[in-house]
Amino acid sequence: MIRRLRKTTTLCALLLSGMGMLCLWKEAPPTDLSGASLAKSIFLKQAAFLAVGTAALGLSVLPNYQHYRRWAWGPYLVLLGALAGLLLAGRFTRGARGWYALGPVHLQPAEFMKVALVLVLARLLMHGRNLDRWRGLVPPILATALPAALILLQPDLGTAILFIPTLLAMLYAAGSRKRHLAAIVLALAAAAPVGYLFFLKEYQRLRLASFLHPDTIPAYQQKQSVMACASGGLTGRGLGEGGAHLPFYVPDRHTDFVFSIVCEEMGFAGATFVLLLFAVFFSESLQTAYRTREPFGRLIVVGLTTLLVTQSLINLGMTLGVAPITGLTLPFVSYGGSSLLTCMVSTGLILNVAGRWQPGFSKNDLVGGSVEIREFRPPARDWQAH
Amino acid sequence: MDRSRVLVLTGILLAPLAGLEARLVQIQLAAPRAFTGDLLTKSRSLHLVTPLRGRILDARGRVLAEDRRSFDAYLVLEEYEQSPGPLADLLGMTPEELRGEIERIYEKIEKQVLRRPPAERRRLYRRERRTPYLLRRDVPLEAALALETHPERCPGVVIRESLRRSYPWIPDSYRRVFPRSLPGSHLLGYLGRVTSDEEEFRSLLQNGVLTEGFEEVIGQDGIAQLYRRGAFHEQLIGRAGLERRYDDLLRGKPGILILERQPGTAEKRLIEIKAAEAGRDTELTLDIELQAKVEEILAGPNPASAVVMDPHTGALRAVASNRGFDPNDFVPPGNPTAVREALADRLGQPLLGRAFARHYQLGSIFKLATSAAGLELGKVRADEFLPCRGKFLEHSRFFACHVWNNFRQMHGELSLSEALERSCNNYFYEVGRRVGLERLSEWAAALGLGAPTGVDLPGEAPGTLPRKSRQANDVLSLAIGQHELMVTPIQVAVLVSVFANGGLRVTPHLRKEAAPAPRPAGLSAATIAAVRKGLEAVVQSPHGTAHGSGLPEFRAAGKTSTAQAGGERTHAWFAGYAPSDRPRHTVVVLVENGGHGGDVAAPLAARILKALRETAPP
């Protein structure tokens, strides 16, 4: 059994989801074409996903994460197939083929791919094999590029871009050379203009351009969002007192721009509280990574945390008008089943690593000779449990 | 693995959070004034910007359909009812019509109001009575000017500019022949309200066709508001012809405007948050001048149709029918009287594109397919002589050659080209009997008969081709193009083109860019040469059925057909190509119940070739 559950991390995750539910409850969410409010159905859907997500969190905590090492490729390959299937047979909704519709629920394989990719990368990098040579970098880069390309074709630029910092952070934590990482970053920077010109869709280019030149091209959504955030002041307008009942006040507030609700209705205090929750969550998990000596677990934590941090930063920056619109959700808080479920499973994995004692050593330990390597004997309590 | 690297990562990842907090301080605490607008005090309304619909151009760039600026009159009920002006006179409506329109606006408002909770209804009702509603489209320029320059004469009327689809290309000579129609009307089609097909409207909305790119900008809320205000209901989409077929190309994407108003002031601000994207122009292979001439040539008491096509590519130059309509009458608001008349004309059926949307008995032109099948299957040789003894079956009243039926004569021994030249039935009865119905119908299908050709026009009739023999003599009827065989003139154009272009089956098309590659029909060069010899003889030889028609002058080749259609008179067909040595045009003419192909249809084909020579000099 798990030795101990990190209470702070769990609490942060649940509090953040709770904030999301609060925003959904108090906001007037969208109406359908006939004008009937979707408030109830959306709230109930999210509540159901929160329940499922909490259960998934529990489930992903329970088995020793070392078991995931053996099965790491399974979900990755299945999801790769699902992504390819979307491109072949997916229906276009809102200009992208990113959904599998199962009754009222829309599942996004790209969301789940994030976790699967981190597991696979951790599996590839855990032994640090050939990491000081280019040859060793090829498998992880390929494993990342393949799903990233499939997601890019949907097209979902935001999610695909998240994979880059995740890969870099995991490579860095696994101990690859800084030279190599710098070379990868440079290559990506050089490829960016080419991608901008040839691979981005017109609307994606427009979003970037409107961010860089806010005066020339209207970025209505973002402008409204910044205005709404600013109008919150210190303590906010009060729950449910925001302007969201006005149509197209900040479009799609409950999904991508959910933080503008927090800012407007709960003000600086509420927004700072959310940022604080994120900060605590992230620093707790990175501490876990620091403490864990076992490489697979550490890499999982580093990868998942980097994913969540990058996604949060991009989303918050977009809401506050300091990053371009990418269509990424705010982890835990935004409305969206797949997103919430992924966040919960990620939390579960981080807690799983944090709560276990693992025998492990790193290359440095061997070189330095600071650790005496003894025969592995499982701790007594675990032993008795069997 | 180096633990210090995790510390470095922690620093890199968490530092930006501090930056975001700083941004929060900046916009919420330090200088909120600089960032907040008067978000809550302004009232906003969304408006659709109708995109410019793409033009339809003919092969030489003449404009067949375009969006023209026009003026629409909107009515603000409250202002109008306080002091009603002479609105009906100005707009050229009768007082009853005006009252009806106002009644319709009230219905619209009520429908909207009833959707809201009772507490809001009174407020909403008052608001909607102050909102301009569409009263009449396409107001004459003078009326629009009068209303704009003297608003006090008729308070409550707002004139707005809009786009109106118009079909401008009508030459005077054509007008004299067809006062109420437009060249190529069946090809161009017309626009209609998107709501005229409720189910389609639903599916267009559900699939986001009407709201492409909106959700990212105004969200579901905004779309719902536009919908409630009826913005999508007013949209026009292609309802017939090319307007329908290429609607997704032509339509373009609507834009969105936000109108911001400060209540209590006259201050207004328009924000364009999504620019409208104009539709693409569509270039046709059609030559509209030729099309008009062909329709004039076909004018007459009998319904008639014709197809002029490039035999090598399938590019259609003219697809004519001598009963047409004026699409300008059909685009809303249009001319309801004209529409009603067109719909009521059961005999003429002016809305029917006869060259592709209806199928007919074919008759002797099918002998091309019979020859091809016989030669390809080796059941008959091109130089083999088969006898014509008048009657084919000794004891039957049916199955005799036309020379026997009409003159109690017979053709004697005939080769293939002679049989085609004189259109001998007995020769082809014999070939048909040798081939068998199943194989014959397979070959007919391979040559393009009895199935849609894939022409880019909606509503193409498939025709019918019997596949199984039910009675022993069915194959004899089919061999001369009777029995259950039904084909469209455009299918016949494909059939003749196979021989004209040396064995390729083309896909007829009207849009220049939509040119599917021709496929081999599976005929050998010898077969084609043998049939072509016969087709040339039909026109050139003094015994040929189309010899006296004026066609020899154009060095044409072809086949006539006089098809029993169940009525008193037979359908008159001619299908051929010219010039015979290097074909440039395929021409198919059909005069319904017109009589003999050689006497009626072939001379028309000659006149069409003359028109071709005038409009498209070699």
Side-chain angles (χ1 to χ4, degrees):
Chain A
M1 279 305 284
I2 190 146
R3 272 174 49 191
R4 108 198 127 87
L5 193 69
R6 284 291 193 103
K7 290 190 194 67
T8 337
T9 312
T10 324
L11 196 67
C12 282
L14 290 178
L15 273 177
L16 282 170
S17 324
M19 290 293 273
M21 298 299 291
L22 198 63
C23 291
L24 267 189
W25 179 245
K26 275 298 170 189
E27 259 325 301
T31 48
D32 66 7
L33 284 184
S34 63
S37 170
L38 294 173
K40 213 170 160 191
S41 70
I42 280 188
F43 185 80
L44 288 179
K45 230 191 230 180
Q46 186 72 349
F49 263 108
L50 186 56
V52 173
T54 315
L57 185 148
L59 281 178
S60 49
V61 164
L62 283 181
N64 190 326
Y65 72 88
Q66 288 294 343
H67 294 302
Y68 297 139
R69 195 177 57 184
R70 231 163 297 154
W71 302 102
W73 284 98
Y76 177 83
L77 291 176
V78 169
L79 287 169
L80 215 53
L83 285 174
L86 267 187
L87 289 186
L88 293 177
R91 267 197 328 140
F92 269 94
T93 342
R94 296 178 59 184
R97 291 166 293 195
W99 285 265
Y100 275 113
L102 294 176
V105 184
H106 290 207
L107 290 181
Q108 295 180 49
E111 282 290 333
F112 303 120
M113 192 58 177
K114 293 176 187 167
V115 179
L117 175 70
V118 167
L119 285 176
V120 159
L121 284 180
R123 172 97 169 72
L124 281 173
L125 296 171
M126 63 177 291
H127 297 301
R129 218 174 275 144
N130 286 328
L131 263 190
D132 49 353
R133 270 175 262 169
W134 275 113
R135 207 177 61 188
L137 297 183
V138 172
I141 289 179
L142 274 185
T144 315
L146 206 58
L150 288 177
I151 292 171
L152 207 56
L153 285 175
Q154 282 180 3
D156 180 359
L157 179 67
T159 309
I161 275 189
L162 280 186
F163 288 2
I164 297 173
T166 309
L167 173 71
L168 288 177
M170 290 179 79
L171 283 176
Y172 180 67
S176 59
R177 294 194 170 194
K178 285 178 196 148
R179 262 194 298 156
H180 289 163
L181 294 180
I184 294 176
V185 171
L186 280 180
L188 283 172
V194 179
Y196 177 83
L197 285 178
F198 297 108
F199 293 106
L200 285 200
K201 303 269 171 214
E202 189 55 39
Y203 77 91
Q204 290 170 329
R205 259 183 257 174
L206 208 67
R207 279 175 173 178
L208 262 180
S210 71
F211 172 68
L212 296 175
H213 314 279
D215 300 327
T216 47
I217 301 158
Y220 176 78
Q221 203 173 14
Q222 201 169 21
K223 230 160 66 188
Q224 292 284 100
S225 159
V226 173
M227 279 206 251
C229 289
S231 67
L234 181 62
T235 51
R237 291 186 201 269
L239 278 177
E241 301 296 315
H245 56 278
L246 303 171
F248 49 94
Y249 179 66
V250 178
D252 279 344
R253 281 197 101 178
H254 60 303
T255 55
D256 298 358
F257 283 89
V258 72
F259 193 60
S260 71
I261 302 181
V262 177
C263 285
E264 188 186 7
E265 305 196 346
M266 305 177 212
F268 180 73
T272 308
F273 180 58
V274 169
L275 282 188
L276 215 62
L277 285 177
F278 273 119
V280 172
F281 181 93
F282 295 144
S283 60
E284 279 279 310
S285 18
L286 287 167
Q287 242 178 54
T288 302
Y290 184 71
R291 284 203 204 119
T292 312
R293 282 165 175 274
E294 193 278 316
F296 183 60
R298 176 193 281 184
L299 284 172
I300 290 180
V301 177
V302 166
L304 290 177
T305 314
T306 312
L307 260 177
L308 292 175
V309 171
T310 329
Q311 192 175 339
S312 316
L313 287 178
I314 292 178
N315 177 282
L316 293 171
M318 165 180 92
T319 313
L320 296 177
V322 290
I325 302 177
T326 39
L328 285 174
T329 53
L330 185 59
F332 301 108
V333 188
S334 280
Y335 168 73
S338 300
S339 158
L340 185 62
L341 210 59
T342 313
C343 293
M344 284 306 193
V345 170
S346 306
T347 315
L349 286 174
I350 292 171
L351 289 172
N352 196 333
V353 176
R356 286 183 205 277
W357 178 86
Q358 289 292 340
F361 54 85
S362 70
K363 202 165 60 180
N364 294 0
D365 297 336
L366 281 180
V367 172
S370 59
V371 176
E372 194 185 342
I373 300 164
R374 286 177 297 184
E375 194 190 345
F376 164 58
R377 202 182 286 155
R381 253 186 298 171
D382 272 12
W383 189 251
Q384 281 160 1
H386 280 286
Chain B
M1 224 193 276
D2 191 354
R3 294 215 302 177
S4 67
R5 287 195 166 193
V6 177
L7 287 181
V8 175
L9 267 181
T10 311
I12 295 175
L13 290 178
L14 293 188
L17 275 177
L20 288 174
E21 182 67 22
R23 172 75 172 172
L24 274 181
V25 170
Q26 183 198 4
I27 66 174
Q28 289 193 304
L29 300 182
R33 284 283 153 73
F35 294 97
T36 42
D38 23 20
L39 267 180
L40 293 179
T41 56
K42 278 190 176 159
S43 78
R44 292 180 189 74
S45 53
L46 279 176
H47 299 274
L48 272 192
V49 186
T50 314
L52 196 70
R53 196 175 166 87
R55 296 177 301 169
I56 300 179
L57 308 169
D58 90 334
R60 302 196 192 172
R62 287 171 287 214
V63 178
L64 307 186
E66 65 181 341
D67 271 4
R68 197 176 272 174
R69 297 206 170 279
S70 75
F71 301 98
D72 296 345
Y74 287 74
L75 193 63
V76 181
L77 283 174
E78 198 181 69
E79 284 178 48
Y80 173 73
E81 282 172 2
Q82 272 168 9
S83 53
L87 189 53
D89 286 350
L90 268 171
L91 296 180
M93 301 161 91
T94 62
E96 288 78 40
E97 275 177 346
L98 181 65
R99 227 170 296 139
E101 284 298 323
I102 292 177
E103 205 52 45
R104 215 165 295 156
I105 294 178
Y106 267 115
E107 276 168 26
K108 267 189 201 168
I109 293 181
E110 262 162 41
K111 233 183 186 173
Q112 261 204 63
V113 168
L114 284 177
R115 282 214 195 95
R116 309 301 295 176
E120 285 179 34
R121 282 183 190 162
R122 180 177 288 272
R123 190 181 58 82
L124 196 73
Y125 183 73
R126 256 184 284 149
R127 195 187 80 192
E128 293 303 319
R129 271 174 53 87
R130 288 195 296 268
T131 313
Y133 270 85
L134 181 66
L135 177 70
R136 191 172 179 78
R137 275 186 201 275
D138 209 13
V139 176
L141 179 68
E142 302 81 54
L145 271 178
L147 286 164
E148 276 286 273
T149 47
H150 297 284
E152 74 285 349
R153 271 184 71 195
C154 209
V157 181
V158 183
I159 296 291
R160 285 188 189 157
E161 226 182 346
S162 76
L163 297 169
R164 172 146 174 71
R165 194 66 164 172
S166 71
Y167 304 88
W169 208 88
I170 310 176
D172 287 339
S173 67
Y174 186 88
R175 261 271 126 99
R176 281 194 291 277
V177 185
F178 301 107
R180 294 228 61 116
S181 113
L182 179 101
S185 48
H186 305 112
L187 312 181
L188 294 172
Y190 48 86
L191 305 184
R193 284 211 179 77
V194 67
T195 40
S196 62
D197 182 345
E198 195 66 28
E199 203 172 303
E200 190 190 41
F201 179 50
R202 292 266 144 231
S203 83
L204 283 175
L205 271 178
Q206 293 284 314
N207 300 335
V209 175
L210 297 177
T211 58
E212 205 181 324
F214 281 19
E215 198 159 338
E216 286 140 24
V217 191
I218 55 171
Q220 291 177 358
D221 283 344
I223 294 177
Q225 206 211 19
L226 278 173
Y227 174 82
R228 283 203 300 279
R229 298 194 54 85
F232 302 119
H233 298 68
E234 301 288 337
Q235 303 281 304
L236 301 180
I237 65 167
R239 276 271 163 248
L242 292 165
E243 292 274 27
R244 184 186 184 97
R245 177 65 179 72
Y246 292 117
D247 190 56
D248 45 351
L249 278 177
L250 292 163
R251 196 193 308 127
K253 292 175 187 166
I256 309 170
L257 277 181
I258 288 186
L259 183 66
E260 267 189 359
R261 257 171 306 195
Q262 192 80 44
T265 66
E267 188 199 330
K268 275 184 196 173
R269 202 159 67 97
L270 275 178
I271 315 169
E272 187 185 47
I273 59 172
K274 186 177 179 299
E277 284 174 49
R280 281 175 53 193
D281 288 355
T282 296
E283 264 185 86
L284 304 183
T285 59
L286 189 77
D287 181 339
I288 194 66
E289 200 182 332
L290 176 72
Q291 169 84 19
K293 279 190 181 160
V294 171
E295 286 182 26
E296 284 171 41
I297 289 168
L298 294 180
N302 290 52
S305 47
V307 177
V308 181
M309 188 170 86
D310 180 334
H312 302 283
T313 60
L316 292 163
R317 305 255 176 266
V319 182
S321 169
N322 67 351
R323 305 273 192 277
F325 58 94
D326 188 345
N328 291 305
D329 291 338
F330 282 69
V331 178
N335 180 353
T337 334
V339 173
R340 235 172 287 135
E341 266 171 33
L343 286 170
D345 186 357
R346 289 309 215 180
L347 240 70
Q349 286 178 295
L351 297 185
L352 186 73
R354 292 169 183 275
F356 56 93
R358 166 170 279 188
H359 52 212
Y360 302 91
Q361 288 84 358
L362 176 59
S364 304
I365 294 174
F366 189 81
K367 289 170 185 169
L368 295 183
T370 311
S371 324
L375 291 170
E376 284 297 321
L377 296 170
K379 303 290 184 190
V380 67
R381 279 179 288 109
D383 52 0
E384 187 177 342
F385 285 88
L386 295 177
C388 169
R389 305 249 174 276
K391 286 180 83 165
F392 186 71
L393 296 179
E394 196 60 39
H395 305 295
S396 172
R397 270 196 306 128
F398 310 105
F399 305 111
C401 197
H402 54 91
V403 285
W404 176 263
N405 291 338
N406 295 334
F407 313 112
R408 287 295 182 267
Q409 288 188 353
M410 52 189 82
H411 284 124
E413 304 272 313
L414 290 167
S415 71
L416 177 74
S417 70
E418 284 165 335
L420 281 171
E421 171 193 328
R422 295 165 198 204
S423 199
C424 173
N425 286 352
N426 287 345
Y427 182 96
F428 291 100
Y429 285 144
E430 178 59 27
V431 176
R433 185 163 68 181
R434 292 181 186 180
V435 171
L437 188 132
E438 277 83 5
R439 310 302 298 276
L440 185 56
S441 120
E442 271 167 33
W443 270 101
L447 296 174
L449 297 179
T453 58
V455 66
D456 47 357
L457 283 167
E460 186 188 2
T464 53
L465 183 62
R467 293 288 186 165
K468 279 236 159 59
S469 165
R470 281 195 298 273
Q471 290 175 22
N473 294 334
D474 282 352
V475 64
L476 303 185
S477 304
L478 181 62
I480 60 157
Q482 295 291 160
H483 193 36
E484 291 164 4
L485 178 80
M486 300 290 263
V487 300
T488 59
I490 214 156
Q491 285 171 10
V492 178
V494 174
L495 169 73
V496 177
S497 297
V498 171
F499 296 97
N501 64 26
L504 295 176
R505 186 171 155 191
V506 296
T507 306
H509 58 271
L510 274 165
R511 183 167 166 251
K512 250 184 200 167
E513 283 162 54
R519 306 187 300 277
L523 293 182
S524 68
T527 306
I528 292 167
V531 173
R532 275 175 74 151
K533 195 177 155 207
L535 296 183
E536 280 158 34
V538 168
V539 174
Q540 303 297 348
S541 148
H543 298 292
T545 50
H547 182 70
S549 59
L551 279 170
E553 181 197 341
F554 300 96
R555 286 186 294 128
K559 180 84 189 74
T560 60
S561 178
T562 307
Q564 295 171 2
E568 267 178 43
R569 301 188 69 190
T570 49
H571 288 335
W573 286 85
F574 176 81
Y577 52 87
S580 59
D581 46 346
R582 286 175 55 204
R584 290 179 58 229
H585 308 289
T586 296
V587 179
V588 174
V589 179
L590 161 67
V591 181
E592 296 174 31
N593 308 112
H596 277 275
D599 302 340
V600 179
L604 292 179
R607 288 177 62 194
I608 290 175
L609 284 172
K610 186 157 169 262
L612 260 170
R613 186 184 276 175
E614 285 160 10
T615 55

